[in-house]
Amino acid sequence: MNAGAGRPVAFGHVGLQVTDVERSRTYYRDVIGLRELERLTRNDPYLGHVTGYPGLTLDICLLVEPASGVLLELLEYRDIDRRAVDPATANPGTCHVCFEVDDVDVIHARAVASGHGSVNAPVTPTSGRWAGGRSVYLTDPDGIRVELVQRGSAAPDAPVESEAVFLVEVRFAPDAAERRGPFRAEHLGRVAALKRSGVIIEGGAYIDALSTSLMLIRAEDAEAARQVALDDVYVAQGIWQDISVRPFGRVV
């Protein structure tokens, strides 16, 4: 495959189709511990075309796992004939979601106390990357399997994983403070959207003086990372100047 276009640049989200989005929202927020980002209902005609269900209304809740930024999208298909499937993980076409947590037993107990199911009691893995830790399969309100894993005490001695990303540094023009006002909302909205999608891991500017912006960017190569900055309204308006890109090893 040729380098450049046609490759993933970030993980988007995991989508789960649920019976009742309010019920599932409560489970993933209050039992699992995700943070809610957005709650909305949409019936845009293009959604019916994309999903193959003309006239569709989607009831949506978007949540995030705060440490990793991975997004979970809960979707309730309304005004559509629906049939539940058997979500047992041995069945082809089903799925499960997995979260690394700090205490499997506490979340398992919270799930059971709130009336939700569990495939098994927590166990201590004896092999693989979670050896010596804890593991359990819960079942969400629709029976979808939710795996929880916890690192064992030997984890600090294990190899540390890193991710190859890019550090993009951009200088502000000398008169940026006076000229950026009309474009700041568009700029921040774009950065926020790229952060939600995982392209921008972190971004911001020095607050003691309007001199430099920094962004950690997931991209295929340095030029693709540079293009993320070049496409910003601040560049088009001359508010950002002198873009530099360096490869960066991010500890994960």
Side-chain angles (χ1 to χ4, degrees):
M1 181 181 294
N2 293 330
R7 290 187 179 186
V9 297
F11 190 90
H13 66 269
V14 174
L16 298 179
Q17 284 64 246
V18 300
T19 302
D20 183 334
V21 75
E22 281 298 319
R23 182 178 68 172
S24 295
R25 169 198 193 194
T26 300
Y27 179 83
Y28 284 98
R29 184 190 60 198
D30 299 344
V31 175
I32 302 302
L34 303 187
R35 179 165 58 87
E36 184 175 331
L37 287 180
E38 195 171 38
R39 181 73 175 83
L40 67 159
T41 300
R42 293 181 57 185
N43 57 4
D44 311 48
Y46 92 91
L47 289 173
H49 178 74
V50 169
T51 60
Y53 295 100
L56 167 72
T57 296
L58 280 176
D59 208 358
I60 304 169
C61 181
L62 188 66
L63 304 106
V64 64
E65 192 291 301
S68 65
V70 171
L71 300 175
L72 179 68
E73 186 179 50
L74 305 175
L75 304 111
E76 178 184 340
Y77 280 56
R78 292 166 49 185
D79 307 321
I80 297 294
D81 182 33
R82 302 180 300 165
R83 283 177 286 177
V85 300
D86 181 355
T89 50
N91 294 326
T94 61
C95 71
H96 76 276
V97 293
C98 178
F99 301 100
E100 181 181 349
V101 301
D102 58 5
D103 197 318
V104 161
D105 293 87
V106 166
I107 300 177
H108 172 263
R110 186 161 66 222
V112 172
S114 60
H116 298 287
S118 178
V119 175
N120 60 290
V123 299
T124 299
T126 57
S127 62
R129 64 183 302 205
W130 304 111
R134 298 291 276 168
S135 176
V136 72
Y137 263 45
L138 304 178
T139 54
D140 83 351
D142 286 291
I144 299 169
R145 274 45 172 180
V146 180
E147 182 182 8
L148 304 180
V149 291
Q150 176 184 338
R151 294 183 185 273
S153 58
D157 298 325
V160 176
E161 298 180 17
S162 63
E163 177 186 17
V165 296
F166 294 92
L167 176 63
V168 177
E169 183 175 355
V170 190
R171 298 285 182 181
F172 280 98
D175 59 350
E178 293 77 28
R179 295 197 299 109
R180 67 172 177 162
F183 314 104
R184 193 160 185 257
E186 179 182 346
H187 160 73
L188 292 176
R190 177 176 179 267
V191 170
L194 289 172
K195 198 163 186 283
R196 285 194 297 270
S197 70
V199 174
I200 292 179
I201 301 166
E202 196 57 78
Y206 293 122
I207 59 175
D208 58 343
L210 194 63
S211 61
T212 308
S213 280
L214 298 173
M215 292 180 289
L216 277 180
I217 293 178
R218 291 187 179 96
E220 183 175 332
D221 52 36
E223 285 309 307
R226 184 186 302 276
Q227 193 63 47
V228 173
L230 286 172
D231 289 341
D232 197 276
V233 66
Y234 274 9
V235 172
Q237 298 298 326
I239 296 165
W240 269 358
Q241 302 174 343
D242 303 326
I243 302 169
S244 66
V245 181
R246 297 179 66 183
F248 186 87
R250 173 178 176 255
V251 176
V252 297

